[in-house]
Amino acid sequence: MSIASQGPSLATSASPHPFDPVRPQEIRLAVRILEAAFPGVKLRYNRIDIQEPIKKDVVPYIEAERLRKPLPPKPARLLYSYFYRLDTGAWCKALMNADTASVVYVKELPEGVQPPVDIDELAVIEEVCMKHPAVQAEIAKLQLPPGMTVCNDPWMYGTESLTESRRMFQCFMYMVEVDHPENNHYSLPCKFSPVFDAFTHELIRMDYLPGGSDAQEQAVETQPWKPVKAVQYAHDLQDEPIRTDLKPYIVQQPEGPSFSVDGNFVYWQKWRFRVGFNNREGMVLYNVTYDNRSVFYRLAVSEMTVPYGDPRAPYHRKQAFDVGDVGFGLNANQLTLGCDCLGHIKYFDGYRADCKGNPVLLKNIICMHEQDNGLQHKHTNYRSGAATVVRNRQLVLQMICTVANYEYIFAYIFDQAANIELEVRATGILSTVPFDNTNGETVKWGTNVGPGVMAPYHQHMFSFRIDPALDGHKNTVYYEESVPLPEDEKNPWLVGYTTEQTVMDKAGSADLDINRNRVFKIRNDNVINPITYKPISYKLHPAPSQMLLQSKRAIGYGRAEFATKPIWVTRYQDDELYAAGEFTNQSRRAVGVETWSKRNDPTENEDVVLWHTFGITHNPRVEDFPVMPMERISVMLRPDGFFTKNPAVDVPQSSQTFNKSTLHPEPAAAVPSCCSGSSKAKLYKRMD
Amino acid sequence: MSIASQGPSLATSASPHPFDPVRPQEIRLAVRILEAAFPGVKLRYNRIDIQEPIKKDVVPYIEAERLRKPLPPKPARLLYSYFYRLDTGAWCKALMNADTASVVYVKELPEGVQPPVDIDELAVIEEVCMKHPAVQAEIAKLQLPPGMTVCNDPWMYGTESLTESRRMFQCFMYMVEVDHPENNHYSLPCKFSPVFDAFTHELIRMDYLPGGSDAQEQAVETQPWKPVKAVQYAHDLQDEPIRTDLKPYIVQQPEGPSFSVDGNFVYWQKWRFRVGFNNREGMVLYNVTYDNRSVFYRLAVSEMTVPYGDPRAPYHRKQAFDVGDVGFGLNANQLTLGCDCLGHIKYFDGYRADCKGNPVLLKNIICMHEQDNGLQHKHTNYRSGAATVVRNRQLVLQMICTVANYEYIFAYIFDQAANIELEVRATGILSTVPFDNTNGETVKWGTNVGPGVMAPYHQHMFSFRIDPALDGHKNTVYYEESVPLPEDEKNPWLVGYTTEQTVMDKAGSADLDINRNRVFKIRNDNVINPITYKPISYKLHPAPSQMLLQSKRAIGYGRAEFATKPIWVTRYQDDELYAAGEFTNQSRRAVGVETWSKRNDPTENEDVVLWHTFGITHNPRVEDFPVMPMERISVMLRPDGFFTKNPAVDVPQSSQTFNKSTLHPEPAAAVPSCCSGSSKAKLYKRMD
């Protein structure tokens, strides 16, 4: 009997697909369920969102979809909530079944475990800070000229103590030079920084920021501000003229796009998948198939940490976990037509709950469009001059997250040769600190980016969670190295080389090794390629990156151990989605991939998960200020013996009829008549 | 007194710029000069092209151009020729002064030194091979069905001997399944391979190719062909239908492009440079400036080698040097509107000489166009919701080279944030070998890609030669590593890290080191950035790659020593342009960057050259056949303290008015009226 058929009717539309994002009526349902479970108790909602469905229950459903067989019952539609009981002061997590409108469990979180920051609470702290007399007193000491004010960015309080259990925010203060919606306050940081209790709103401590290059400098009392000019990024705040010689570049698709969309289901050029969205990870891709063969069950950026390398207190607490502490979904920009994407754009929406449990529409938080990426393949037969040219059309799904000062642009890029690229662009504004630079002084851990402002060194470490399903769920991760053959009689000219494979048959971690061309692959040992005689596989083109720089003895190291190895392999288990664990906010140490991989589960021909840590050691350039030209990181998943030949060989030829390019007009000039050669001529001319 | 003004008038146009490619009248002039120098001697021309101008003579000229001062005399316009004397049988090189129509020198090449392959000679060898009775006899043994024929690709003869001085070609033979200009003969390799003398046309030897996995297999006599079907890439030779669901994607620039062109001079978005072209390297960029500040003197891909890892004779001789042995310029495709580029396209032409000294037009061998590459920078002020979004417009200069079976696509990509990317795409058809695969057999050094055909492992190793001129020609290369601070009282929280610099103050080589985030930078110690207080600089984002795999004792190692280290630094010297030296064809060992760097020249605050070796260890995928989806490699040059802020901060805001995107039509559906949120709303809503 179908579970779905027993559920309460979801008034406004059909029952959601197991991978659909949370719907507003589901947020309301969760509130009703919890209100019924806690009659008379005032609850403050931190999160209400979908819970990942149980994989073993989903797989038969999506397999039936793929094979166009009668559908089995849908898996249970699960919702979760983090919430705060105003009666007992306890943080709780509830798991609910939306189909039966019932609680599966409610549990109190252990002492010291903090759910992520919620957006409403951040706004409150920001206001509390500005109104606090101690903060106002510091502001007064600045003796700011008329028209200038101060604002603050509350930051998650990176743990420095293994016993602290208050929920805290550290506010970084900035001067606001002009009353403009895009004033760059990050150019004028203040030297005081209050710390607040998130519940009592009590000022826990006023920190004073160091201003020089001495790591042990004693902080000094707030001094009157010595005026300097902010470095502005907004176009109408700049002194220099804006460029006028950039001509429009317009993409037209007169016959419409090559994709089709049904709800969150996308079909494009033999690819099919579902676009998921949740408050934490933001965009997630589910059930990715090519030519109706299963490829990936789930792809997501599961975590990111940004530890700062400035050794001076209180900067050691700056270690954001932008997925776990706040959520890429919650921070996703509401995208605007003609600005964030170009061409024919489809947008997807999401929802979140506010702290009262009201659904809030997150409009246009994912955009999808096609793009042309140059050539995909070409060959010219030099004898005949005949060329086959195929362009590289791509499908892009993009999400842009603003995390206070900084921006991340995530894109999954599909192509016609069965490749999937995860592209990350880092942009936005550097997290800055005040710096008393008087005599051309510099620091060893940062870059001066403007008058009185320095941008400390830091790292951005991402975890890309890859849940493969190559022709089924029993897969194996291994690595392959290219090594010279022995210098023996079978290699007489000393040029031979071969590949060596190492299967990761137990959960664990591995390093990259460029010098051995170490490549990580995922294969299905149960499906042999009829041409290569080897198991079908995909390979990962990793982004080779320096790992976490902080000391093994630093607290932040244990909180972000996922960032100490580029490759992790675990056996799939429900609830193991986030590389640094479920609760990162003020965490004391992670319970994430470093913990799960220690189980040493067998991972050969099992339901495996591959986690790739990559990132940037970002030692700021002055060119990254006042807003940073994007730095691009790319990770690719490419078929390697998954097909029997180039899967893009059936893409039509590139032609002028189709592409309608324009020839740049040339000044009238005679081509010397003495010379042979034309675009269709053979590439060489025989000698008589 | 001006040298240029004394030169013979070049009838059809103004005197060339020092960086202009060779003109047809200059080829004719060179022939006249040499005919005058060798009266009555029959000469066969291998190359006639421009010789790189003497740098010390060019610099005052281009500096005057940059500063808009009166121009000094142009440097001498030099031409060179490799040619063969039919009277003495000697290979010669001549250097000529076009301004004075005179010979600077003529020298005979030493015994054993071979000039590159010339295109006319290749065509002759191909014909000689087909007509040779021994080859015909082998073909007869194949007992091919009616309609099938055989063709051959002559290959440069990679040296296996330090004493061989004949000029030779090894012909690889293939069966031609259908009479079609795009028949994929690489799918049906034959097992015999004749070697010819390029001058006498004598059959030196018939090699028989191994067919199994045993490296010491004895070759067997040619057997009747067992028919298998070729794997075809051409659209009208495929069994499967071509995709029909790809919709047109048209780029329009109604106001024209943002670039302007005058001859080979290009101006785009604060960038100015000259597009050079020569037969050997193909596209070269000269005198690259940004906002009228000098950045690079010359950028070029100076060499590439492709050693194969198949240990079986005669495959050890397959080690092409595609720049030095043949020339990317000579192999550059004549590009076609609407196929190889998209949008508004400007083409550049080049010239070569045939073996009689006639100029041959190489039409459309470089294309230039703008492209949109997503976002360049974005920041949303989360308080106001106001966003600054700037798209990443790029200028692309592209050249595509066909080297027999294989294609390389080279692009220099300029952006508005003063970055230059060198992008290489590897595509085309794998170099294949016959393989008797009967029982699911595989080899340790290759991949089965079709019936009876195997693609051996190989490497593509490129040398990117970067001649910097950052605010002048006295520059310094150094590397910087990110390392933890000591765990002492100045780093109490153990999170601190810093950077350490190592100056390459003597010519030499260096390794990459991902684990230390080793970054290579070029700086000018004489120009201090007023914000950072450090010398202005650019950094290289290298492409981390496995280096040459063959043994140090292999002959090919000494021929391609440039490919054994990712970074080389030398002090500039005229005539040191090519990483593996001037003469690579049948070379016994290189006289290139490995030799020049051994001089240990001082390279701190000198006129330095940075050479970056990168590449792919290409262990073929079956998906790379019958034509390879491009594999992309990217190397970036980015300003790092060259400017005082983001140089793209003055690029106009991205807007729908300018970009004219299209919204994907949605099925009519009511947005639940209960929810707040809009694209211009604040990113959060305060709690009451």
Side-chain angles (χ1 to χ4, degrees), chain A residues 9 11 146 158 162 225 246 303 364 556 567 685:
Chain A
S9 108
L162 297 180
W225 180 55
L246 188 71
E303 192 48 271
N364 293 358
I567 298 287
K685 182 167 152 279

mmCIF file of all heavy atoms in Angstrom, chain A residues 9 11 146 158 162 225 246 303 364 556 567 685:
data_model
loop_
_atom_site.group_PDB
_atom_site.id
_atom_site.type_symbol
_atom_site.label_atom_id
_atom_site.label_comp_id
_atom_site.label_asym_id
_atom_site.label_seq_id
_atom_site.Cartn_x
_atom_site.Cartn_y
_atom_site.Cartn_z
ATOM 1 N N SER A 9 -3.559 15.578 2.073
ATOM 2 C CA SER A 9 -3.448 16.159 0.737
ATOM 3 C C SER A 9 -2.701 17.485 0.831
ATOM 4 O O SER A 9 -2.937 18.287 1.729
ATOM 5 C CB SER A 9 -4.850 16.356 0.148
ATOM 6 O OG SER A 9 -5.182 17.710 0.110
ATOM 7 N N ALA A 11 -2.558 20.736 -0.513
ATOM 8 C CA ALA A 11 -3.649 21.379 -1.225
ATOM 9 C C ALA A 11 -3.292 21.900 -2.619
ATOM 10 O O ALA A 11 -3.966 21.596 -3.592
ATOM 11 C CB ALA A 11 -4.206 22.508 -0.378
ATOM 12 N N PRO A 146 30.703 64.888 10.311
ATOM 13 C CA PRO A 146 29.263 64.793 10.059
ATOM 14 C C PRO A 146 28.981 63.936 8.830
ATOM 15 O O PRO A 146 29.737 63.984 7.853
ATOM 16 C CB PRO A 146 28.849 66.257 9.792
ATOM 17 C CG PRO A 146 29.943 67.089 10.329
ATOM 18 C CD PRO A 146 31.188 66.274 10.301
ATOM 19 N N GLY A 158 34.089 31.559 16.001
ATOM 20 C CA GLY A 158 34.908 30.341 15.881
ATOM 21 C C GLY A 158 35.470 29.975 17.239
ATOM 22 O O GLY A 158 35.995 30.824 17.936
ATOM 23 N N LEU A 162 37.264 24.625 24.477
ATOM 24 C CA LEU A 162 36.544 23.355 24.389
ATOM 25 C C LEU A 162 35.454 23.257 25.453
ATOM 26 O O LEU A 162 34.785 22.238 25.568
ATOM 27 C CB LEU A 162 37.519 22.182 24.508
ATOM 28 C CG LEU A 162 38.563 22.117 23.374
ATOM 29 C CD1 LEU A 162 39.493 20.937 23.568
ATOM 30 C CD2 LEU A 162 37.873 22.016 22.011
ATOM 31 N N TRP A 225 39.467 59.080 14.626
ATOM 32 C CA TRP A 225 39.765 58.566 13.279
ATOM 33 C C TRP A 225 40.575 59.586 12.493
ATOM 34 O O TRP A 225 40.264 60.773 12.499
ATOM 35 C CB TRP A 225 38.451 58.275 12.559
ATOM 36 C CG TRP A 225 38.623 57.732 11.169
ATOM 37 C CD1 TRP A 225 39.343 56.638 10.803
ATOM 38 C CD2 TRP A 225 38.049 58.255 9.973
ATOM 39 N NE1 TRP A 225 39.248 56.436 9.450
ATOM 40 C CE2 TRP A 225 38.455 57.426 8.900
ATOM 41 C CE3 TRP A 225 37.222 59.354 9.684
ATOM 42 C CZ2 TRP A 225 38.068 57.652 7.585
ATOM 43 C CZ3 TRP A 225 36.837 59.564 8.375
ATOM 44 C CH2 TRP A 225 37.259 58.724 7.326
ATOM 45 N N LEU A 246 32.791 49.397 -24.302
ATOM 46 C CA LEU A 246 32.360 48.004 -24.327
ATOM 47 C C LEU A 246 31.031 47.922 -25.081
ATOM 48 O O LEU A 246 30.054 48.551 -24.697
ATOM 49 C CB LEU A 246 32.193 47.477 -22.891
ATOM 50 C CG LEU A 246 31.929 45.986 -22.799
ATOM 51 C CD1 LEU A 246 33.180 45.189 -23.155
ATOM 52 C CD2 LEU A 246 31.447 45.610 -21.392
ATOM 53 N N GLU A 303 30.478 21.175 2.102
ATOM 54 C CA GLU A 303 30.986 22.042 3.168
ATOM 55 C C GLU A 303 32.034 22.969 2.587
ATOM 56 O O GLU A 303 32.563 22.725 1.493
ATOM 57 C CB GLU A 303 31.593 21.222 4.316
ATOM 58 C CG GLU A 303 31.896 21.988 5.598
ATOM 59 C CD GLU A 303 30.747 22.865 6.088
ATOM 60 O OE1 GLU A 303 30.682 24.044 5.661
ATOM 61 O OE2 GLU A 303 29.910 22.390 6.883
ATOM 62 N N ASN A 364 14.271 32.770 -7.639
ATOM 63 C CA ASN A 364 15.371 32.803 -8.625
ATOM 64 C C ASN A 364 16.723 32.513 -7.991
ATOM 65 O O ASN A 364 17.708 33.190 -8.283
ATOM 66 C CB ASN A 364 15.442 34.183 -9.303
ATOM 67 C CG ASN A 364 14.251 34.485 -10.174
ATOM 68 O OD1 ASN A 364 13.360 33.658 -10.311
ATOM 69 N ND2 ASN A 364 14.242 35.659 -10.773
ATOM 70 N N GLY A 556 40.819 24.650 15.235
ATOM 71 C CA GLY A 556 40.201 24.695 13.912
ATOM 72 C C GLY A 556 40.561 23.506 13.035
ATOM 73 O O GLY A 556 39.797 23.145 12.133
ATOM 74 N N ILE A 567 41.246 13.709 -0.842
ATOM 75 C CA ILE A 567 40.347 12.620 -1.255
ATOM 76 C C ILE A 567 39.932 11.818 -0.027
ATOM 77 O O ILE A 567 40.785 11.415 0.780
ATOM 78 C CB ILE A 567 41.050 11.674 -2.254
ATOM 79 C CG1 ILE A 567 41.437 12.422 -3.542
ATOM 80 C CG2 ILE A 567 40.189 10.435 -2.556
ATOM 81 C CD1 ILE A 567 40.301 12.768 -4.470
ATOM 82 N N LYS A 685 50.439 21.875 -50.823
ATOM 83 C CA LYS A 685 50.374 21.879 -52.278
ATOM 84 C C LYS A 685 51.531 21.002 -52.743
ATOM 85 O O LYS A 685 52.663 21.163 -52.294
ATOM 86 C CB LYS A 685 50.563 23.323 -52.751
ATOM 87 C CG LYS A 685 50.484 23.538 -54.231
ATOM 88 C CD LYS A 685 50.367 25.033 -54.526
ATOM 89 C CE LYS A 685 50.945 25.376 -55.873
ATOM 90 N NZ LYS A 685 52.405 25.504 -55.858
#
